[in-house]
Amino acid sequence: MNPANVTQKSIARWPWLGLAVSLVALTAGCSLLHRQQLSFAGPLIEGVRALTVVRPDGSDPQPLFDSVRGLQEVLAWSPDGDLVIVENEQGDFYIADPADGSLGQCLTCGLADPLTAYFSTDGKEIAVGTASGLYLLDADGTDLRQAADLPRPRWIHWSPDSTQIAFASRPNPGGHGRMDVYLLNLGSGSVTNLTVGKGGEGVDYFSPRWSPDGTQLAFHSLDDAGFHVMTIQPDGEGLRKVTDWAFQGEIFFYDVAWPPQWSPDGEQLVFFSFDEPGVAFNADIFVVDRDGTSRTNLTRNPAFDSDPAWSPDGKYIAFVSNRDGNGEIYVMRSDGSEPVNVSNSPVTDEVNPIWRP
């Protein structure tokens, strides 16, 4: 039966049918509104950043904020997928509404040297990292307050229950010294160094990510032996190496390090690695079980494949690849099969694949 063809007489005869029709229409509308999309960033074109959302198969590409000038490549979605945080060319972060393509409240105007901004998992607050520490705001951009004074907190990530925030920082304001993973408890206001005393003076720990069940944090480490994917419990116990990964290049820039990504079921981690010694610019996407077993190369391509991101339903992994001659956004099945170029922009480079919730 087509709901649009239900007559008033039918609804009068069966009163519950009107409610059923309304629910069907509402459910259909919601499914269209919140269908799975991937966002990514392209170049500035006449001053407007090419920010796009697309379906996993590459269909239905839609531009975001095509009349807002000077935006950067940053996108951080609210947990309901209705709002997004963007950065302008002055380095300030704004709440933005893709539905009408407009910028809303400025989150960091008046803060010195803002670095990052992310919605809490429950959507009620926003965490902002700056040169002087970590700040919190209500989700509408009001009630700014400082929560931690550790300098330049990076890779801010909220716990699944929004009660804690993980990040990495160097305690020296000048950016020197060892980098560690910290945990801010919002209930007590305490900040704990989870990796203090672990490894040695020459070890850096960075880019933490909470597991979906909140029982583990995954992050990267760098020591004399190379790069590693690590996990630890939120109480600082149980530090262990999951697997190694490799980087090729004369200089490694921590600020752009792509964190290890948990699968939605929390059973696997995905990351990229230069595993072929001596082969320049040949990175692949790898997946490994959380206990370090079953490490698998998903891409096996002689190109540069990086920055993997697991879809919310666990079926897909998005990543960046230059296999077509320039940086494009690809989506593959979570087992590495059926890679699809979803950006299809052969002249410009696209970056920062982020799934819309």
Side-chain angles (χ1 to χ4, degrees):
M1 179 182 293
N2 184 346
N5 294 332
V6 176
T7 64
Q8 293 296 323
K9 182 177 180 180
S10 298
I11 294 175
R13 185 175 179 182
W14 299 297
W16 54 266
L17 189 57
L19 177 60
V21 170
S22 298
L23 289 174
V24 168
L26 178 61
T27 303
C30 289
S31 65
L32 291 175
L33 180 63
H34 296 289
R35 62 188 179 181
Q36 188 163 246
Q37 292 178 314
L38 176 70
S39 64
F40 59 88
L44 280 172
I45 301 174
E46 296 182 354
V48 176
R49 176 73 58 184
L51 301 173
T52 305
V53 290
V54 67
R55 298 294 302 278
D57 61 1
S59 65
D60 196 22
Q62 300 174 25
L64 297 173
F65 314 114
D66 53 4
S67 62
V68 180
R69 301 180 63 84
L71 294 181
Q72 303 295 333
E73 298 168 348
V74 172
L75 283 173
W77 290 97
S78 62
D80 61 8
D82 289 343
L83 299 174
V84 67
I85 294 173
V86 296
E87 181 185 8
N88 70 2
E89 57 189 356
Q90 286 77 39
D92 279 311
F93 293 86
Y94 287 77
I95 298 175
D97 185 354
D100 60 17
S102 66
L103 296 187
Q105 176 75 23
C106 179
L107 302 173
T108 58
C109 294
L111 284 176
D113 195 11
L115 307 171
T116 54
Y118 296 96
F119 281 100
S120 62
T121 315
D122 61 11
K124 296 179 180 179
E125 294 182 288
I126 295 170
V128 175
T130 75
S132 61
L134 192 151
Y135 290 79
L136 296 176
L137 307 92
D138 291 345
D140 59 3
T142 62
D143 192 22
L144 176 70
R145 65 271 189 198
Q146 187 167 13
D149 60 3
L150 285 163
R152 307 185 73 82
R154 294 283 191 177
W155 305 284
I156 292 170
H157 199 226
W158 291 80
S159 64
D161 62 3
S162 294
T163 64
Q164 300 180 87
I165 299 174
F167 61 94
S169 175
R170 297 185 191 274
N172 188 316
H176 304 293
R178 171 175 152 148
M179 186 180 297
D180 279 300
V181 172
Y182 293 83
L183 206 60
L184 167 64
N185 185 305
L186 297 178
S188 65
S190 63
V191 178
T192 303
N193 186 336
L194 291 186
T195 52
V196 63
K198 296 176 171 65
E201 288 301 319
V203 181
D204 281 334
Y205 298 103
F206 55 99
S207 64
R209 281 295 178 269
W210 286 92
S211 64
D213 62 5
T215 64
Q216 297 278 317
L217 289 113
F219 50 92
H220 292 313
S221 71
L222 173 60
D223 57 26
D224 291 340
F227 294 89
H228 320 285
V229 177
M230 313 289 293
T231 57
I232 198 171
Q233 296 166 194
D235 61 4
E237 298 296 323
L239 177 69
R240 65 184 304 271
K241 183 180 77 171
V242 177
T243 190
D244 298 317
W245 62 283
F247 175 77
Q248 291 185 27
E250 296 181 1
I251 301 175
F252 177 73
F253 294 99
Y254 288 90
D255 287 353
V256 297
W258 196 263
Q261 305 287 315
W262 291 92
S263 60
D265 64 7
E267 295 301 316
Q268 294 179 299
L269 289 158
V270 68
F271 60 97
F272 75 94
S273 176
F274 295 79
D275 263 32
E276 294 190 44
V279 180
F281 305 110
N282 180 20
D284 281 302
I285 308 298
F286 291 80
V287 67
V288 64
D289 289 352
R290 65 187 294 167
D291 63 1
T293 61
S294 303
R295 176 185 166 119
T296 304
N297 186 334
L298 295 180
T299 49
R300 296 190 178 277
N301 192 284
F304 187 102
D305 300 325
S306 65
D307 301 356
W310 227 302
S311 66
D313 64 5
K315 294 181 179 180
Y316 305 99
I317 296 174
F319 62 101
V320 179
S321 179
N322 66 354
R323 62 185 62 187
D324 288 333
N326 66 299
E328 298 273 15
I329 306 300
Y330 275 76
V331 173
M332 61 183 170
R333 295 281 180 178
S334 59
D335 62 0
S337 64
E338 302 179 30
V340 176
N341 184 339
V342 299
S343 54
N344 288 305
S345 184
V347 177
T348 61
D349 290 333
E350 279 64 48
V351 296
N352 201 26
I354 303 293
W355 291 95
R356 185 177 190 175

